[in-house]
Each structure stands twice: as structure tokens, then as C-alpha cells.
Amino acid sequence: MRLRRLARALPAFVLIAAISGPVLAQDGLTYQQPPAPIADILDKKPTPTPSLSPDRTTLALFDRSNLPPIAELAEPMLRLGGYRINPRNNGPANSRVSWLTGLSFQPVAGGPARAVALPEGARFTSPGWSPDGRSVALLMDAPTGLELWVADVASGAARRLTDPRVNAAAGGAYDWTPDSAGLVVRMVPQGRGAAPDVSRPPSGPTVEESMGRTAPARTYQDLLGNAGDEALFDHYFTSQLTLVPLQGAARPLAEPAVHLGAGVSPDGRFVLRTTVKKPYSYVVPARLFPTEVTVIDLQGRTVHQVADLPLRDNIPTPFDATAPGPRSVGWRSDAPATLVWAEAQDGGDPRTEAEVRDRVFMLAAPFTGQPTPLVDLKERYGGVTWGDADTALVYTRWFNTRHETRLVVDPSNPGEGRVLLERNYQDRYNDPGFPVTEANASGFPVARFTSDGRILMTGDGATREGEYPFLAAMDLTSGRTDRLWTSASGDYESVVGILDDDARRLVTRRETRNDPPNLYVRNLDAQAPDALTQFPDPAPQLAGVTRQLITYTRDDGVQLSGTLYLPAGYDKDRDGPLPLVMWAYPAEFTDAAVAGQVVDTANRFVRPGGSSHLFLLTQGYAVLDDPSMPIVGVDGAEPNDTYIEQLSASAKAAVDAVVGMGVADRDRIAVGGHSYGAFMTANLLAHTDLFRTGIARSGAYNRTLTPFGFQAEQRTYWEATDTYTEMSPFTYANRVNEPILLIHGEADDNSGTFPVQSERFYAALKGHGATVRYVVLPLEAHGYRARESVGHTLWEMTRWLDQYVKDAGPR
């Protein structure tokens, strides 16, 4: 299409705007800077990211890169089998990598952090602790590929272990051996040669056929499209499993294959690997290609085949559906070499009546016996937390009801499970948290227990007054939970790690409304924690901003809330009502009481980043952040059948609330959102007159383009044609009579939000004489990464709102 050709041809930026007279493409506009102080905040160095070592003695602090320049995103990118890769280094595309730029080790006992000497200009990704906590592995970017490096905690020295041949195209490129003596690494095969030449004319058409076989597929992105793509996929995703010791020579394991995963067993004797094979598909991503899951030994010999799965392009459309055969295959954390996996007992179709939905199996080395059923489940398998030889927690979920079950199972006496608790997993007030896990001697996560046999739990601790993270002990017999520690009133302090066997000394991350997040050592028997870091406020320009949780009620009685931000120095009595921006994202619920849960944020330290709408506070706008937009289905009704009515009622209640407080002028309120929030924005402009304008970023507007389900809608277009039609703002483009700003990344990778969604919505709006501006950000995916793109997005938003909200007169 013309728009896409323009987007690829222009080095900077493309803009399509509806103006009086002819509709023209503007190709002379360069990237613009947002007004002060937004640009200064965007360029501040990010706060380091911490990671506690398995031996509980050291924190690794990783320096993060700032927003990358657009030139970095302009590196070549290939879209293959649902992945985006950089052919230069055989790793993820730059749009999907947040590079790390530095590493230092902070002793938990206190004292200064010690920086690790890395090459000048170093950037790396995928850091991982060795099981013994003495080393950190990382993937270092080099001109011709990715190198495996290792940093030593004791000396602070870092060294290269491999040449630039690490194959990280499918992610997870290495796995430590349990003895910490080496790593199993996916490497580019020796002598691979140049990539296939796919520029030659095709030898024939590309043909797909179904031949009467039912095979619904969701709107996946970045799929293979022709024989040339298949050749490139084979070239870049074929890897050689290689054992790379910290000392000594590396040696290959088995033959090269298209690996999507590989993990060493807890005893270090085996590798569980996942490979895909032909025939490939052009309608589903690589993870659904024909797949073999096998176990090999460290001599590369195949000792067991777990699964040989066919192409899975026919999974039913409901969200609780899955493919037949083994799935979620992994190692049992607390055993030397025991495989664990789940298999659907209802054919993978939730519409089939079945008492048992999933069965979980185990099989121990040497893998010659029959699999042992661990537990039968009435819902879909959601994972397991391993504890010890006779205790594990198995999780199940059922999306259609938002129901979760947790069962206690005894791996030494498999076959039965005891229900520990059941809950609506959207219920924040009654969330018991999840078990505390830490790496065992093999580096695998296992649950922490108290000396009297209770399991340690951490959670967010959501209440009406705010979130107050906690550490608790749960009795797995009675389900009773005792709080050992809770974040103090006014603080938001969460557990990073536990330092002692009695769980009395913790590493925590603490913030308050006015204090930025920092790391502490907290002794539960002492009054105050000891500070380990002193990271500064990254945006002191926003320190004077005020915020409060406001609550209000929808016409149907559903309780709603939102966080109201007011600019620094604002005085309602002196300054009167402000122009206000409402930025939201709808959510679906099956329980009105859960939908109406309110959680204050008064104890959180909030600073914007990226293209956040909160930057508008520096420009004199009030912001109602995340006002509740619940879409509730009760008594078996589908939420989306009344989507427009509920959405409009929620928006009206929010507008009435801020106007009633005297902080907003009813004639100067805008609505905006990203992704599903953009979909919401377009619908509110089409179906209400509550707002002067809207900003819709990276949205989907025509649900016939996502016919096999979207967001939380499980029905297909043919099962709910009226709902799909009525929910699509594209259907009502002729009713949008307020200005709307559309922004979209040219390379959007999110399911359903193809750029054509904005392209065609713009055409529909333009065709009906709407006031609309359409901005395409070259090289950007669903979220915007480049400094130029982020800055320009904020410039567009500010400029648009100034014109149609701040400086607009009465309607």
C-alpha cells in the first residue's frame, strides 16, 4: 500500500494529516523535540537493575541503556516464524533488546559496589548467575555476533568464553551446568557460510491449502511467507548445542538442529531440548511447528523422546483450548533427572465435557519405564512449585470463569491432589501471594519453608488503602496464613530475597511517595533497615506533582476509581478547573465486586518514562490515570455483548467525578490510550460527546480483521457477528465528530494491531470529513523505543492537546 511504501522510503518520519482542501502526505517533517522539561527527563540515565546471588551474599547491579537512537533500530531486521532477529549478530532485533551497559557487585554485608571492567562501549544482554553464585554469564554484542562472557564476583574481572557465534535468535541461548563449571550454549554451526540469497525471482507461486480441515488461527505477526523465508529461518535458527567449560576447550553436543529451547537436568547428566522440523507453516509461529522434545546425554546421544508433535495450526479458538500431546515439558527442580509435563484429557477443546481436563505426568531417568501420573486436574495446568520429596504446589486456571485452584501434591505418592485454595484470580484483595523460591544447589528454583514446615509466601498485599507487600508463612494442611512482616504504612517495600534460614533478614526494595526505590537489608528484629543503595530521583522536576485516588460509582452501581494527578503548584481555588487528559485501558471481569476493587497508590514513587502520558503534567494538564473501565459479564453473560454501554457509562462517571471536584473543565477533557486503550478511545469518540479530542496509539479498530478472537473475547466473528461489528469503531467512523490523533509503529509486532488497522481507520475517518492526524513511526514496534520516536510522540501529543483542548473555547 502507498502508506507502507512511504514509511519505508523516508529515513525520518511519515505523517498523514487531514487538512482543509486536498489531503496531502507531509514528507518534509523531521523528528521534533517535546517541550521542556520533558526532553531533559527522557535523557536521564536509568536506575540500575538489581539481582541477588544464589548464595545470598552479593547483589549484581546492571546499568541500563537509555532510549536507543533511531539508527540502532535501523539495523537490518528479519521477521521469521514469529520472531524478529538481527542478522548481524544472530540475536533478537534491536527493537526487542534492552541493552545493559555496565555491571557492578554490591556486597550484601555493606560497603561500596565494585564495578566490573568491561570493554569500552560494551553492551550486553541475558545475564545469569551461576548456581554457586560466584559468576555471572552474559551475552556481549560484538561487530559480527554475540559472545559469551563471564564475570567473576571475587575478582571483579570479566572474560570472553566464546567467539562471536552464540545463537540467540530464539532466546535463552545458554544454560549453566549445575556444578557451575560450564554452560551448554547454542552456537552458530562452524562453517555455516553466508545467508541464502532470497533476492532472486521466485520460481513459482506461494500456495496454501486447507482441504476441508478445520484450522482456526489467531492474528499472529511476523510469520513465514514463502520459500525464501523458510530458507532464512533454517539458516539463522539452526544451532549447535555446545558444552563450554569455564576452564578448558568447548565441545559440541549432538548434531545441529533448529533449537527453540535447551535445559540441563539438575544432576547435570542430560539436556532436554526442543527442536522444530518441516513442514513449516505460514499461518502459525515456529513454536507451533512440528516439534520434537528429546533428552540427550552429554555425549550427544538421544536417550529418550518425550514428544513428537505434529503441526498445531488447528487449536480451537476458546482461550482455555490447547493442543493435544505433551506440553510444558521441564525438569523437576527437586529431583536429579525427572521429566514433568502436562497432557490434555479433553482433546484440548474446552467445549468438550470432561471431568479431567489435564493430567500431569512424571518420568525419572533412565526414562525406560512408563510415565507416572502425578495429578489429575479439573482445569488447565498452570505450573508447579517444587518443595521437597513429598510436597509440591500445582496450579490450575480456567480463563472463562477467571478461576484458579492450588493443590498440594505428594510427588512420592502421586495420583491424588488436595485442594489448598480456590479463588477468582482477578481478586486482588484476597490474593494469598505466591511461594518464595530460591535456587537450590543445582540452580533450580524450589520453595522456602520455615523450620516448622510452613511454606513462605510473598504478595502485593492489595487493600483499599494501597498495596503493602508482605512475607507470610502458610500451613499447607489447614491453609492458614500468618503474616511475618508487612510493609509499613506509607511505604511500598517488597522482598527481593531472604538472607538467612529463619527468614528474619531480608533484602528489600523500598520506596515511598517521595523517596525513589532503593535496596535495603531489613532485620525483622530491628526497627530500621540498612540502606545498600542511594539511587537518586530520576525526575525531580515532577517532585511537586500531587496525586490522589478518587472513587465514584457507575450508574449501574459498579464502584470505579482512578488516580488523579495535578501539576506542581496547582491551587484549585486560585487556578480553577484545568484541561484534563483521561488515559485508560478497559478490562473484562466476571464478578462486579472484583471489578470494583479500589487500590490506592499513595505509597508509590511515580515518575514517567518512555512516551508516558504523565509527562503532560509538566505542561499544565491534569491527568486522570487508569480510570476504571470494567466490562463485566455476570450470570454467564458475555462481557462484550454490552461493551459500548458499559464503556460509555464508565467514562461518563469519570468525567462527572473530576468536573464535580472542580479540577476539570467539562469543555476541556481529552481521552487517550495505547493498544486496547486506543480501541477504547475511538469508541468513546464515536459513541459519546464527553471529550473534545482523543489520542489513539497503536490500536485496532476493525474487529473483522481479528475474526478468531481478540483481547478477552473468545468467540469468533461468526459466533458473535453483532458483537464484533458493534464493538468496532471502524463501523461508526461517520460518527466521530471530535478531532483524533492516530499514532502507530510501522513495524507493530502485537497480535491484532497490524498497522493496517490505523491505516484503514484513518481512510474511513478522512472519507467522512473528520479532523484526524495520522502519524507513522518508522521502525517502531507496538511500544516505541527510539529516543527520536518517543520524543516526537510526546511532541505530537502535547501539540495536539494544546490546539484542541487547552486553547479550545467552549463547545
Side-chain angles (χ1 to χ4, degrees):
M1 293 184 180
R2 177 174 179 272
L3 179 62
R4 291 182 178 176
R5 290 197 297 271
L6 280 171
R8 293 189 178 96
L10 295 175
F13 170 134
V14 175
L15 169 70
I16 303 290
I19 57 176
S20 59
V23 180
L24 303 175
Q26 299 179 7
D27 61 359
L29 184 63
T30 58
Y31 289 108
Q32 300 296 300
Q33 286 287 333
I38 299 175
D40 291 337
I41 298 173
L42 289 177
D43 293 329
K44 283 292 183 66
K45 183 179 179 180
T47 301
T49 298
S51 176
L52 182 64
S53 63
D55 62 4
R56 314 173 191 168
T57 64
T58 307
L59 280 164
L61 301 177
F62 299 102
D63 293 331
R64 298 180 292 147
S65 60
N66 212 331
L67 296 170
I70 194 68
E72 191 170 298
L73 268 64
E75 279 201 67
M77 177 180 71
L78 297 176
R79 310 180 193 188
L80 302 169
Y83 294 90
R84 292 187 174 187
I85 69 164
N86 185 336
R88 175 186 60 79
N89 63 15
N90 220 114
N94 283 336
S95 62
R96 295 191 171 185
V97 179
S98 295
W99 292 107
L100 303 172
T101 58
L103 168 62
S104 58
F105 293 124
Q106 169 69 58
V108 170
R114 183 174 63 255
V116 174
L118 297 173
E120 184 177 355
R123 63 179 192 177
F124 60 93
T125 186
S126 305
W129 282 104
S130 62
D132 62 10
R134 297 179 180 178
S135 306
V136 171
L138 51 91
L139 299 182
M140 184 76 69
D141 190 35
T144 59
L146 294 170
E147 303 167 339
L148 178 67
W149 283 57
V150 65
D152 180 69
V153 173
S155 66
R159 60 191 177 94
R160 188 180 68 177
L161 291 182
T162 72
D163 56 12
R165 288 196 302 111
V166 176
N167 189 327
Y174 68 84
D175 193 31
W176 280 97
T177 58
D179 60 5
S180 300
L183 307 96
V184 172
V185 187
R186 279 180 258 168
M187 302 287 289
V188 171
Q190 286 280 8
R192 178 177 69 173
D197 181 5
V198 296
S199 63
R200 290 171 294 180
S203 59
T206 298
V207 178
E208 301 178 57
E209 61 182 14
S210 177
M211 306 302 288
R213 176 173 170 268
T214 302
R218 298 193 181 277
T219 49
Y220 298 113
Q221 298 264 35
D222 302 331
L223 303 177
L224 302 182
N226 51 49
D229 285 349
E230 292 193 49
L232 290 171
F233 180 80
D234 278 333
H235 179 81
Y236 286 105
F237 284 79
T238 297
S239 61
Q240 171 75 68
L241 290 183
T242 305
L243 181 62
V244 179
L246 297 188
Q247 305 293 334
R251 61 180 179 85
L253 303 175
E255 294 298 316
V258 180
H259 291 96
L260 297 188
V264 185
S265 62
D267 64 1
R269 294 192 297 149
F270 305 102
V271 177
L272 175 67
R273 64 175 188 164
T274 300
T275 61
V276 297
K277 58 185 179 179
K278 293 183 176 179
Y280 298 152
S281 170
Y282 296 174
V283 297
V284 293
R287 60 181 174 82
L288 297 175
F289 290 177
T291 301
E292 288 187 346
V293 183
T294 57
V295 177
I296 63 172
D297 61 21
L298 293 193
Q299 284 67 50
R301 297 173 298 211
T302 299
V303 297
H304 179 64
Q305 182 179 78
V306 185
D308 186 1
L309 302 172
L311 173 67
R312 285 144 292 155
D313 64 348
N314 60 342
I315 298 174
T317 54
F319 291 176
D320 292 311
T322 189
R327 70 179 196 279
S328 302
V329 185
W331 295 112
R332 180 176 158 182
S333 295
D334 63 334
T338 297
L339 295 166
V340 182
W341 69 90
E343 290 190 40
Q345 303 300 296
D346 56 4
D349 190 343
R351 296 169 297 195
T352 300
E353 292 294 329
E355 182 65 23
V356 176
R357 293 290 181 184
D358 275 354
R359 180 169 291 150
V360 182
F361 292 93
M362 299 187 302
L363 182 63
F367 317 112
T368 54
Q370 290 298 310
T372 300
L374 173 64
V375 65
D376 285 347
L377 306 175
K378 296 181 180 180
E379 300 168 327
R380 289 287 177 242
Y381 174 66
V384 59
T385 298
W386 300 102
D388 50 36
D390 58 6
T391 306
L393 282 180
V394 175
Y395 309 93
T396 76
R397 282 196 169 189
W398 198 250
F399 176 85
N400 197 44
T401 57
R402 312 304 197 269
H403 185 260
E404 174 192 21
T405 304
R406 302 186 188 182
L407 302 101
V408 180
V409 299
D410 181 353
S412 65
N413 186 26
E416 295 291 336
R418 177 172 52 81
V419 174
L420 178 66
L421 62 88
E422 297 182 79
R423 59 185 296 267
N424 181 326
Y425 60 74
Q426 291 181 310
D427 182 356
R428 300 175 66 190
Y429 287 176
N430 297 295
D431 186 351
F434 281 90
V436 175
T437 61
E438 66 178 14
N440 60 15
S442 298
F444 282 72
V446 293
R448 280 289 307 270
F449 292 88
T450 63
S451 58
D452 59 2
R454 295 179 296 169
I455 193 168
L456 291 172
M457 307 281 288
T458 57
D460 292 332
T463 68
R464 166 63 179 77
E465 292 72 29
E467 286 186 332
Y468 291 94
F470 62 84
L471 176 67
M474 175 182 283
D475 187 307
L476 293 182
T477 301
S478 65
R480 177 181 172 180
T481 299
D482 295 322
R483 291 283 179 97
L484 306 179
W485 169 81
T486 302
S487 181
S489 177
D491 294 358
Y492 182 89
E493 189 172 1
S494 57
V495 177
V496 174
I498 298 175
L499 298 177
D500 64 338
D501 293 338
D502 296 327
R504 305 301 296 171
R505 296 181 65 245
L506 317 174
V507 174
T508 64
R509 179 183 181 275
R510 176 182 175 272
E511 64 185 74
T512 71
R513 185 186 190 98
N514 300 313
D515 300 315
N518 271 286
L519 300 171
Y520 294 81
V521 173
R522 175 172 285 283
N523 188 328
L524 300 189
D525 299 316
Q527 285 291 102
D530 297 321
L532 285 176
T533 61
Q534 295 181 334
F535 301 136
D537 184 343
Q541 300 94 327
L542 292 163
V545 166
T546 63
R547 73 176 186 271
Q548 67 179 104
L549 181 77
I550 64 171
T551 59
Y552 44 97
T553 305
R554 205 164 72 179
D555 287 344
D556 60 0
V558 175
Q559 297 297 305
L560 305 176
S561 66
T563 302
L564 177 64
Y565 289 83
L566 299 171
Y570 170 72
D571 184 291
K572 182 175 68 174
D573 294 332
R574 181 192 66 208
D575 302 324
L578 292 170
L580 180 139
V581 177
M582 184 187 302
W583 198 269
Y585 192 97
E588 297 81 0
F589 296 87
T590 58
D591 185 333
V594 171
Q597 287 183 347
V598 175
V599 179
D600 203 345
T601 60
N603 61 335
R604 300 303 305 268
F605 183 83
V606 177
R607 293 292 184 269
S611 51
S612 171
H613 51 283
L614 293 181
F615 280 116
L616 295 167
L617 290 161
T618 67
Q619 306 304 306
Y621 291 89
V623 175
L624 182 60
D625 187 37
D626 197 24
S628 305
M629 296 286 173
I631 312 300
V632 185
V634 296
D635 299 328
E638 292 292 340
N640 283 339
D641 286 347
T642 53
Y643 174 88
I644 298 299
E645 295 89 337
Q646 294 192 63
L647 183 72
S648 301
S650 295
K652 178 180 181 300
V655 168
D656 289 345
V658 292
V659 171
M661 293 175 64
V663 298
D665 178 350
R666 191 179 295 273
D667 282 339
R668 295 193 298 163
I669 299 178
V671 65
H674 190 94
S675 193
Y676 207 52
F679 175 72
M680 170 208 72
T681 297
N683 266 312
L684 286 173
L685 294 189
H687 295 286
T688 77
D689 291 313
L690 295 167
F691 305 101
R692 293 302 297 269
T693 188
I695 299 175
R697 300 190 332 207
S698 298
Y701 310 102
N702 184 348
R703 285 304 167 194
T704 68
L705 299 178
T706 55
F708 287 103
F710 60 89
Q711 204 69 9
E713 178 55 64
Q714 302 186 78
R715 298 168 297 176
T716 70
Y717 169 77
W718 299 273
E719 294 170 326
T721 305
D722 290 346
T723 298
Y724 273 66
T725 301
E726 292 167 7
M727 285 185 69
S728 298
F730 182 85
T731 305
Y732 302 98
N734 59 324
R735 298 187 187 180
V736 176
N737 55 11
E738 298 89 4
I740 182 170
L741 172 63
L742 302 175
I743 303 176
H744 215 121
E746 180 227 2
D748 195 324
D749 56 347
N750 184 57
S751 178
T753 55
F754 299 98
V756 71
Q757 289 273 6
S758 288
E759 182 179 328
R760 300 315 301 157
F761 189 45
Y762 165 73
L765 292 167
K766 172 178 65 69
H768 286 93
T771 300
V772 56
R773 182 177 175 93
Y774 175 28
V775 180
V776 179
L777 300 173
L779 309 175
E780 294 291 353
H782 192 59
Y784 315 145
R785 291 283 317 280
R787 172 62 177 82
E788 292 88 339
S789 302
V790 169
H792 191 94
T793 295
L794 293 168
W795 176 81
E796 289 281 357
M797 291 170 60
T798 303
R799 178 175 172 271
W800 188 261
L801 292 169
D802 285 352
Q803 180 176 358
Y804 293 108
V805 179
K806 181 186 286 186
D807 299 331
R811 299 195 213 213

